Amino acid sequence: FYLVAVDDDGGWYLSFWYTVTDAIFTETGYGTPVFGNGLTPIGADSPEAAVEGAFRELLSLDLEGLIGMLPPTEMRALYDYMPLIMDDYNETVGAFGSFITIDLTSLGTSVSDAANGAKRVKIETFDITFASFFMEIDGAISFDGACFDITLNDQSGALSEFGAQVPDHINTCDQAVADMLDPGMTGIEIPDFLSDLGAADTGLLAVEEDGRWYVSPTETVGDGFLQALKIWDRDTLQQYIDWLIEFGGEAGSAALF
């Protein structure tokens, strides 16, 4: 067990991200990079553009582009280490992009102020289309701020050949979907996560660095917990704890039998 310290402006500091990243890369045999010669930051002109850019890079499976949308100081470890695996990634996961295309056709966001000059970007709506010429499948996923709407066109019946019975249209606000999630069918009463998230002032936090905006994982997670705690009372927290315990028990039973 070890911790990694970094030299920043003449002072030494323990680094969570360097410690975790170095442990992973050492354990998997990729070794240690040449520090300071990593990926190039990209960023965006505005907080909402940073979120949209990260979203697009994620959907296109462009790992280098996605990292480029993260703060280069905060996520310096990823910038340094990720070049070690880029060739392997592009030959495996990245190659998947040649079999399926996923496009963000629209993204609606709202922006509010967060602590220390950061901006909280909340995704209000989005529309995504996807297609696979290999399996002859296409469809779309939309979110209107309350419900997810999914359409699927299995042109050649490829999914049916695998024994999958997938409906061609699903809307999460339809009563039929609500009935599927009813505790009478699942045996578990599912907390209303979406309503709680909607009530909390949560979003992706964008930070400015050297005139460019980036999406901050650390700030986003920390801010999300703080905003959630503002609306969760004792009973709500207990409901989530009970659900996790019950869900864990059901999952364990399913795995055993």
Side-chain angles (χ1 to χ4, degrees):
F1 176 77
Y2 61 90
L3 298 173
V4 176
V6 297
D7 183 6
D8 190 359
D9 292 332
W12 287 89
Y13 305 87
L14 292 178
S15 170
F16 170 79
W17 289 114
Y18 268 102
T19 299
V20 172
T21 307
D22 188 78
I24 293 173
F25 277 72
T26 299
E27 184 68 24
T28 53
Y30 282 101
T32 302
V34 178
F35 296 108
N37 293 287
L39 303 178
T40 302
I42 301 173
D45 294 330
S46 65
E48 53 268 44
V51 169
E52 180 173 344
F55 205 167
R56 290 186 183 279
E57 301 292 2
L58 176 63
L59 294 177
S60 66
L61 303 179
D62 185 346
L63 181 60
E64 183 172 350
L66 177 59
I67 294 172
M69 301 306 297
L70 305 180
T73 299
E74 172 189 331
M75 306 306 295
R76 185 168 53 177
L78 287 184
Y79 278 87
D80 278 340
Y81 279 85
M82 293 310 287
L84 297 176
I85 69 166
M86 288 310 304
D87 288 343
D88 286 348
Y89 176 85
N90 290 330
E91 290 175 3
T92 53
V93 179
F96 184 70
S98 62
F99 295 99
I100 185 170
T101 58
I102 308 175
D103 295 315
L104 177 67
T105 57
S106 70
L107 180 67
T109 60
S110 60
V111 182
S112 60
D113 293 331
N116 302 317
K119 298 293 184 181
R120 187 179 300 108
V121 182
K122 186 172 185 177
I123 296 177
E124 303 286 358
T125 62
F126 65 75
D127 293 287
I128 295 172
T129 60
F130 59 89
S132 171
F133 74 89
F134 179 73
M135 298 185 67
E136 297 184 9
I137 294 172
D138 62 82
I141 303 174
S142 299
F143 177 65
D144 62 6
C147 308
F148 288 92
D149 191 87
I150 305 169
T151 57
L152 179 65
N153 179 21
D154 185 5
Q155 304 169 33
S156 63
L159 294 179
S160 299
E161 292 179 3
F162 290 105
Q165 299 297 320
V166 181
D168 57 10
H169 179 256
I170 298 174
N171 188 292
T172 58
C173 290
D174 287 348
Q175 186 59 45
V177 176
D179 291 341
M180 290 176 59
L181 300 177
D182 185 86
M185 294 187 65
T186 63
I188 303 174
E189 184 176 356
I190 302 176
D192 194 351
F193 293 108
L194 290 179
S195 293
D196 286 348
L197 286 174
D201 188 16
T202 57
L204 298 171
L205 259 65
V207 297
E208 188 176 17
E209 188 170 330
D210 294 330
R212 303 288 288 173
W213 287 90
Y214 301 88
V215 180
S216 169
T218 307
E219 295 279 357
T220 296
V221 172
D223 182 72
F225 275 116
L226 288 176
Q227 297 303 319
L229 289 174
K230 291 179 180 180
I231 66 165
W232 286 348
D233 55 21
R234 179 186 178 91
D235 292 339
T236 303
L237 286 172
Q238 188 62 53
Q239 182 186 18
Y240 281 114
I241 293 171
D242 291 344
W243 178 81
L244 288 172
I245 293 173
E246 188 173 5
F247 180 78
E250 290 289 334
S253 299
L256 290 174
F257 300 101

